Amino acid sequence: MPPTIGVIGGGQLARMMIPPAVELGIEIRVFAASAGESAGLAVTQLGDYTNADDVLRFAEGVDVVTFDHEHVPQEVLRALVAHGVAVHPGPDALQYAQDKLAMRQRLSQLGLPIPDWAAVASTQELDAFLLEHGGRGVVKTAKGGYDGKGVRVVSGSAEVADWFEGGAPLLIEELVDFRRELSQVLARRPSGEIALWPVVESIQVGGVCAEVVAPAPAASEKLVEMAAWIATTIAAQLDVTGVLAVELFETTDDRLLDNELAMRPHNSGHWSIDGSATSQFEQHLRAVLDLPLGPTTIREPWSVMVNVLGGVTGNRYPAALADQPEVKYHFYGKDPRPGRKVGHVTAGGSELDDVVFRARAAAAFFED
């Protein structure tokens, strides 16, 4: 019998796991919160991922459970483990992707380079941190938040007074003077094998990833080695299985600092579908099943991915395909909505300026 993977979450990441699962002969089952989600082609159960009984029913008959997102509560994850279900990544690792304060504390213990930070439970503590760090800082909610949500740059506690109303401590970090944002994506299987893709540059607009350039332009050998060391240390020390994305700041004083973690396929790795010998989605399936990992060699000197945000009504495909026939188009089956990630395009080639132009031109057909 072919192995069976159960994916909790029916979004675009689960959707993009379906083609490599079919190619590898893996049965994939998706647990979605509602009908009509992106991965609807493989949905076998609808339910509440915060309900242990719903999730346990879904896990019956699968060889391993993995995730489209990191929001499944710890008590549900540990119920799966207690019932003998293989969970990758496991709850001990996922806790650090679910709680930014826990993540910062653990990375500090490991001696990894991170921004100066503190847990603050009052406006007085927050203002004291700001006073010691130039009067400005980045405040984040410890749990939840993505694509710029749950993050505010502040110069005083009054700007996040509403966040203190819930009583949970907040994370505050120094406002890093960075040159650019980078991402190191890798995959690790339970037996310990690790495979890394090239470090990439991620261009953010309004807190949302807009473009990714692979590999990161003008990346020194030292930077590449440092990014790999940070990511492999995190993967090994936190016992991460599957794909791990480590978002990094390259600072103006030539430091490399960890910013965020994602223990699943990540937006900064979407280029690998068309630009790498093994995509992050195929690699994730291999990794969680503890199968040998595939090569991560790049197919062309440059790959550029551009997210399609918002989307448009009407059929733009004929014009886009005629204008940019070599660009690869990936859409997620989502209705248009301002700022929503509805798809992405990827271009590849030997001249970076040309690749950037073609990717942006293709994406522009789908944005008003």
Side-chain angles (χ1 to χ4, degrees):
M1 294 290 291
T4 301
I5 290 179
V7 183
I8 297 178
Q12 65 257 29
L13 301 183
R15 180 188 181 97
M16 286 184 274
M17 293 181 201
I18 298 172
V22 172
E23 292 164 1
L24 290 171
I26 294 168
E27 182 179 349
I28 186 168
R29 303 176 186 176
V30 172
F31 179 99
S34 59
E37 295 189 22
S38 292
L41 288 170
V43 170
T44 59
Q45 183 176 325
L46 300 178
D48 178 1
Y49 63 79
T50 69
N51 183 291
D53 291 336
D54 283 359
V55 175
L56 285 167
R57 279 195 299 272
F58 170 72
E60 293 176 1
V62 306
D63 294 293
V64 62
V65 167
T66 190
F67 309 95
D68 168 89
H69 58 72
E70 293 142 334
H71 306 310
V72 180
Q74 280 286 310
E75 56 268 25
V76 175
L77 298 173
R78 296 188 186 277
L80 287 168
V81 173
H83 281 77
V85 179
V87 179
H88 294 304
D92 289 342
L94 273 169
Q95 64 180 319
Y96 299 112
Q98 295 175 328
D99 187 324
K100 293 181 176 66
L101 284 171
M103 180 262 289
R104 281 288 180 248
Q105 183 177 26
R106 185 70 179 111
L107 298 189
S108 296
Q109 292 170 348
L110 294 172
L112 291 167
I114 57 177
D116 197 12
W117 68 280
V120 291
S122 68
T123 57
Q124 292 82 3
E125 290 178 348
L126 191 151
D127 285 329
F129 183 94
L130 293 175
L131 187 62
E132 295 174 359
H133 293 81
R136 300 187 75 204
V138 180
V139 180
K140 302 177 181 179
T141 54
K143 297 182 179 181
Y146 62 95
D147 287 345
K149 301 178 179 70
V151 179
R152 294 180 188 172
V153 177
V154 305
S155 55
S157 59
E159 297 171 62
V160 286
D162 55 321
W163 284 0
F164 282 110
E165 293 173 3
L170 302 175
L171 170 65
I172 185 166
E173 298 177 341
E174 65 172 309
L175 185 62
V176 175
D177 188 12
F178 62 89
R179 183 179 296 120
R180 59 178 174 172
E181 295 187 60
L182 304 171
S183 179
Q184 176 65 74
V185 181
L186 60 75
R188 179 177 180 269
R189 54 190 284 211
S191 59
E193 180 189 6
I194 290 177
L196 297 98
W197 286 271
V199 63
V200 302
E201 181 174 353
S202 175
I203 296 104
Q204 310 285 317
V205 177
V208 178
C209 178
E211 300 180 6
V212 172
V213 180
S220 67
E221 183 178 348
K222 179 181 178 183
L223 182 148
V224 170
E225 291 176 352
M226 187 68 174
W229 173 76
I230 291 171
T232 54
T233 299
I234 291 171
Q237 294 298 319
L238 274 54
D239 195 24
V240 178
T241 50
V243 167
L244 167 71
V246 180
E247 297 179 71
L248 302 158
F249 290 134
E250 181 184 7
T251 68
T252 54
D253 57 356
D254 294 321
R255 292 178 296 155
L256 200 59
L257 303 178
D258 171 69
N259 180 33
E260 299 284 356
L261 303 179
M263 296 182 190
R264 51 170 170 73
H266 189 256
N267 202 170
S268 65
H270 288 356
W271 68 273
S272 65
I273 299 174
D274 306 299
S276 174
T278 307
S279 79
Q280 66 167 343
F281 297 98
E282 177 183 340
Q283 201 81 295
H284 186 73
L285 301 181
R286 290 184 182 220
V288 300
L289 287 169
D290 205 14
L291 297 173
L293 301 180
T296 54
T297 48
I298 58 175
R299 296 187 182 278
E300 298 189 78
W302 298 104
S303 291
V304 174
M305 184 222 71
V306 177
N307 277 325
V308 177
L309 301 176
V312 295
T313 57
N315 185 4
R316 307 289 181 92
Y317 294 101
L321 294 173
D323 188 75
Q324 297 297 331
E326 296 180 358
V327 170
K328 299 299 183 182
Y329 298 81
H330 301 266
F331 288 89
Y332 307 151
K334 293 182 174 182
D335 293 330
R337 190 173 69 204
R340 191 182 200 188
K341 291 179 185 176
V342 297
H344 73 268
V345 302
T346 305
S350 58
E351 298 293 333
L352 180 56
D353 288 347
D354 173 68
V355 176
V356 170
F357 173 82
R358 289 189 287 113
R360 289 177 178 173
F365 279 94
F366 303 94
E367 298 176 349
D368 281 340

